[in-house]
Amino acid sequence: MQDGRTTLSKFLINTLDRKSSPIAASGLSALLIDVAASIKTISAALTRGALGGNYGSAETVNTHGEEQKKLDIATNDIFLQHCEWDGLLAGMVSEEMDEVYAIPDTWPRGEYLLAFDPLDGSSNIDINGVVGSIFSVLRVTGEPHDAGVSDAAFLRPGHEQVAAGYAIYGPSTMLVLSVGNGTHGFTLERDVGNFVLTHSDIRIPEDSCEFAINASNERFWEPPVRRYVQECKDGRSGCRTRDFNMRWIASMVAEVHRILMRGGVFMYPRDFKTPAMEGRLRLLYEASPMSFLVEQAGGLAITGRERILDVVPRALHQRVPVILGSKNEVARIGRYHSEYDRGADKPYTSPLFNERSLFLPEAPA
Ligand code: F6P
């Protein structure tokens, strides 16, 4: 007897297993159920807060030189334990591990690759703020995977992902997922332990008046980003002729979730704070899966100069500039980058003209 609600397993059976595609027989839905089990376990651990004995620093650093918190390591282990055994994976990569995690010999190996950030925005833990987990699933191509996989297997552009998603641990825990047929949100029914479809086929509004960027880095931004943000700040008296609002939660998951719910733009652009770094966010397990979800919801995701899903990774932990969200706003920022690169933006970025100058030609819409 149907109760009218769609649980995650029902959704996956209907969307993947009952379709006559190669994915149907490949176990992708079983893998996603294991990922969801990791998320439920992490959610339960986070809910215990300081009482769980997992607060504070682990006194180690990850591959990016960032201090690891005890929870970074605990949540990483939860993903490994839930996903290594099922015979569906050839290897895993995570923000918290320097190298590809080989599936132990105890377990069979499969044809999928899982890349994940087990605890995104972990600086928010200390303030009981919103955090998340992000994951990306690729299918092995080419090389035989019975003996495990090398880094090269993971270095695929994001448009090849077969599934991507995130969990947001806020007042409620949600799993937001795409297997390539739209972006869908499931809310965890804590007392029962089910993820229930509550946000079917999420669509990002094409226009918006909200942006998110760490403004303390302003002096390191490139001119096209400065131009965009300045125009937003000028509000209704500037060339955009409307007021904008700004948000910064310091958790990419929380920013992307807000954008999926009501539109907006999130930027961690290229900057010159650390010239050796191309961007701040990691391509494989942050930018790529989030871009997949945003595009599946009708938004855009770019580095400023190219579509993030077309970037071919050169290294497991590569960083990339990220500008994503409402289609028309992201396209505008992309246009500002190309005008800057062609030297065609001088009237808008020259220090001789401020944005409200009488001498400023009318800004293109
Ligand atoms: O490491 C990723 C991350 O925590 C993102 O989730 C977030 O958007 C960003 O870093 C926060 O950066 P900042 O420390 O500059 O506010």
Side-chain angles (χ1 to χ4, degrees):
M1 201 165 65
Q2 295 280 336
D3 72 352
R5 303 195 315 166
T6 304
T7 58
L8 178 66
S9 11
K10 249 191 216 176
F11 171 88
L12 292 172
I13 289 167
N14 280 331
T15 314
L16 294 175
D17 298 343
R18 290 196 177 144
K19 292 271 186 301
S20 53
S21 75
I23 296 280
S26 66
L28 178 59
S29 40
L31 172 59
L32 293 172
I33 295 286
D34 285 339
V35 170
S38 319
I39 288 167
K40 289 181 209 175
T41 308
I42 293 171
S43 175
L46 295 178
T47 307
R48 284 193 285 276
L51 301 174
N54 256 334
Y55 265 30
S57 170
E59 285 170 15
T60 50
V61 288
N62 68 14
T63 183
H64 309 282
E66 299 159 347
E67 182 201 33
Q68 288 176 303
K69 298 190 179 293
K70 285 185 195 163
L71 271 170
D72 286 320
I73 295 175
T75 54
N76 192 67
D77 289 348
I78 289 172
F79 262 91
L80 297 181
Q81 282 157 13
H82 281 85
C83 300
E84 67 180 1
W85 66 277
D86 58 18
L88 298 164
L89 286 174
M92 290 187 252
V93 157
S94 135
E95 180 173 352
E96 305 306 333
M97 302 185 293
D98 293 358
E99 293 166 2
V100 172
Y101 179 81
I103 303 299
D105 290 336
T106 345
W107 310 114
R109 300 203 169 99
E111 57 182 317
Y112 290 107
L113 302 167
L114 182 66
F116 60 91
D117 175 358
L119 196 61
D120 170 71
S122 58
S123 65
N124 278 359
I125 282 293
D126 299 337
I127 58 155
N128 200 12
V130 173
V131 289
S133 303
I134 312 174
F135 63 92
S136 157
V137 183
L138 284 164
R139 216 165 180 182
V140 183
T141 53
E143 63 181 295
H145 44 278
D146 299 348
V149 284
S150 61
D151 291 11
F154 283 88
L155 304 182
R156 311 297 314 156
H159 63 247
E160 291 186 16
Q161 291 170 102
V162 292
Y166 65 79
I168 179 164
Y169 310 107
S172 63
T173 291
M174 282 188 70
L175 166 64
V176 176
L177 174 73
S178 180
V179 291
N181 73 334
T183 297
H184 309 280
F186 301 82
T187 303
L188 181 61
E189 195 173 22
R190 277 189 207 279
D191 41 345
V192 182
N194 275 336
F195 272 113
V196 180
L197 182 64
T198 47
H199 298 66
S200 181
D201 200 13
I202 298 167
R203 304 305 295 167
I204 300 176
E206 292 186 358
D207 295 294
S208 112
C209 293
E210 203 159 67
F211 66 100
I213 191 164
N214 183 344
S216 70
N217 293 327
E218 182 163 1
R219 67 192 186 282
F220 305 110
W221 297 339
E222 289 191 282
V225 172
R226 284 172 185 249
R227 174 183 171 188
Y228 178 77
V229 172
Q230 187 58 53
E231 287 176 1
C232 293
K233 289 195 296 185
D234 288 343
R236 70 177 67 211
S237 53
C239 68
R240 299 301 305 271
T241 64
R242 53 194 161 110
D243 290 337
F244 281 72
N245 192 18
M246 202 203 81
R247 287 282 179 270
W248 188 250
I249 307 176
S251 154
M252 188 192 197
V253 163
E255 319 280 4
V256 169
H257 192 68
R258 185 185 61 251
I259 287 169
L260 286 167
M261 294 298 109
R262 68 178 189 212
V265 176
F266 166 77
M267 291 172 275
Y268 220 117
R270 184 169 164 213
D271 67 38
F272 298 106
K273 191 174 181 181
T274 316
M277 276 172 25
E278 282 175 73
R280 157 78 193 254
L281 301 172
R282 276 48 65 115
L283 178 55
L284 252 57
Y285 39 80
E286 291 180 322
S288 238
M290 291 310 210
S291 300
F292 190 77
L293 293 164
V294 164
E295 284 203 6
Q296 285 289 320
L300 280 185
I302 60 172
T303 62
R305 295 177 169 88
E306 67 182 315
R307 183 186 176 218
I308 290 175
L309 292 182
D310 289 339
V311 176
V312 180
R314 295 184 307 277
L316 289 183
H317 299 288
Q318 182 177 333
R319 298 175 191 257
V320 71
V322 173
I323 297 166
L324 57 76
S326 289
K327 198 175 185 169
N328 294 338
E329 291 300 311
V330 176
R332 173 185 284 269
I333 303 166
R335 175 160 60 76
Y336 287 6
H337 279 80
S338 78
E339 285 176 5
Y340 170 67
D341 292 346
R342 288 185 280 116
D345 66 336
K346 293 289 177 283
Y348 308 106
T349 53
S350 163
L352 293 177
F353 296 94
N354 81 35
E355 281 66 13
R356 273 166 278 177
S357 162
L358 286 176
F359 304 105
L360 190 68
E362 199 181 327

